[in-house]
Amino acid sequence: MVNYKIAVSIFSTLSILVPITASLVRIKTADLKYRLFLVFLIYGFLTDMLDWYLHGQLSMVSYVFFIVFPLVEAVFYLWLLKALNISATLTKISKWLMWLMPVLWIFSFGSFDMKENNGGIFNASYEILIAFLSGYGILKMTETENDIIRQKDFWLVIGIFIYCFCAFFVSSFLDTEILNKVWFLHNAINVFVYGVFTKAVLTRGE
C-alpha cells in the first residue's frame, strides 16, 4: 500500500507536465496571461521536484520554497482574476487583495520558526477566498459570454475554482483520521485540475 501511495503521488506530481507541454505548444500564439501561467506551472513543478529531492531534509532551500509557494500561488491567481477583466467588481477586489496577500502571509508565519509551519491559516484563507471570487467570476461569465465552453478563459477560471475549493476542503481534514482514509483526494484533484488547465490552454477561443 505504501508503494501504491508513492506511485499515485508521483503520477499526480508529474501530471502537471501535461498543461506545461500544452502551453509550450501554444506559446507563440499565447498572450501575456497564458505565458505567465506557463511560468507559474513550471515554478510549481520545480517546487514539487525540490520537495521530492530534499524529502525529509529540513534545509533552508526546501523550507523557503515550501513557504513561499502559497504566497506566489495566491498572488498569481488574484492577478489572473484581475487581468481577465470579467467584471469591474471582481477586478477591483482582486487588485486590492493581491497587494494585501504579502501582509497576511507575513503575519500568518510570525517569527518564521522552521520547526513549526504556521502557514495553514494563510493557505485556508486564500483558498476559500479565491474559490469564492472565481466562483463569482464563473457566474458573471455565464451571464455575459456566448458559447461559454469555447472560451479558454472560462476553463482557466473553472480550474482555479476547483483547485482552490477542493484544496480548502481537503486541508480542513488535516491531522484527522478522515484524511488518512481519503488520502487519494489531493492527488485526484491535482490530476483533474491539470486536465482542466490543459483544456484551457488548448482551447482556441478568446
Side-chain angles (χ1 to χ4, degrees), residues 147-164:
D147 203 8
I148 193 67
I149 64 172
R150 295 182 181 272
Q151 306 298 318
K152 63 192 310 176
D153 291 350
F154 172 73
W155 290 106
L156 184 61
V157 180
I158 284 283
I160 294 173
F161 170 77
I162 294 174
Y163 172 78
C164 289

Side-chain angles (χ1 to χ4, degrees), residues 5-200:
K5 287 185 177 181
I6 292 176
V8 172
S9 181
I10 292 175
F11 177 77
S12 170
T13 298
L14 295 181
S15 63
I16 196 175
L17 293 175
V18 177
I20 287 177
T21 301
S23 297
L24 289 172
V25 170
R26 293 293 175 86
I27 190 67
K28 290 184 178 180
T29 58
D31 60 18
L32 177 63
K33 297 189 297 292
Y34 286 89
R35 293 188 179 196
L36 291 179
F37 183 61
L38 170 60
V39 174
F40 170 72
L41 291 176
I42 293 174
Y43 173 71
F45 175 68
L46 293 177
T47 300
D48 285 339
M49 289 297 97
L50 184 62
D51 181 57
W52 274 98
Y53 180 72
L54 298 175
H55 183 64
Q57 302 179 38
L58 190 59
S59 69
M60 179 59 71
V61 174
S62 61
Y63 181 73
V64 169
F65 267 78
F66 177 75
I67 67 171
V68 170
F69 181 76
L71 174 62
V72 173
E73 184 173 69
V75 171
F76 181 72
Y77 281 157
L78 287 169
W79 178 84
L80 267 181
L81 292 175
K82 178 181 75 71
L84 290 172
N85 291 318
I86 298 172
S87 75
T89 300
L90 182 58
T91 297
K92 185 176 182 179
I93 294 175
S94 299
K95 177 181 178 180
W96 283 104
L97 288 176
M98 185 178 67
W99 294 107
L100 182 61
M101 281 298 139
V103 177
L104 297 178
W105 179 76
I106 292 174
F107 178 78
S108 68
F109 277 93
S111 63
F112 289 90
D113 185 355
M114 290 186 65
K115 295 181 180 179
E116 182 178 359
N117 173 26
N118 298 312
I121 296 176
F122 174 80
N123 294 350
S125 298
Y126 87 77
E127 286 164 358
I128 194 61
L129 186 60
I130 295 177
F132 175 80
L133 292 176
S134 56
Y136 174 77
I138 293 169
L139 178 62
K140 298 301 293 184
M141 294 176 80
T142 57
E143 291 176 350
T144 59
E145 298 286 346
N146 295 321
D147 203 8
I148 193 67
I149 64 172
R150 295 182 181 272
Q151 306 298 318
K152 63 192 310 176
D153 291 350
F154 172 73
W155 290 106
L156 184 61
V157 180
I158 284 283
I160 294 173
F161 170 77
I162 294 174
Y163 172 78
C164 289
F165 179 80
C166 293
F168 171 78
F169 177 77
V170 171
S171 65
S172 66
F173 292 115
L174 288 178
D175 300 323
T176 68
E177 191 64 29
I178 296 177
L179 186 62
N180 293 328
K181 297 179 180 179
V182 294
W183 59 268
F184 58 88
L185 274 181
H186 175 72
N187 298 311
I189 291 166
N190 278 347
V191 173
F192 183 75
V193 169
Y194 293 146
V196 175
F197 283 155
T198 302
K199 170 68 176 178

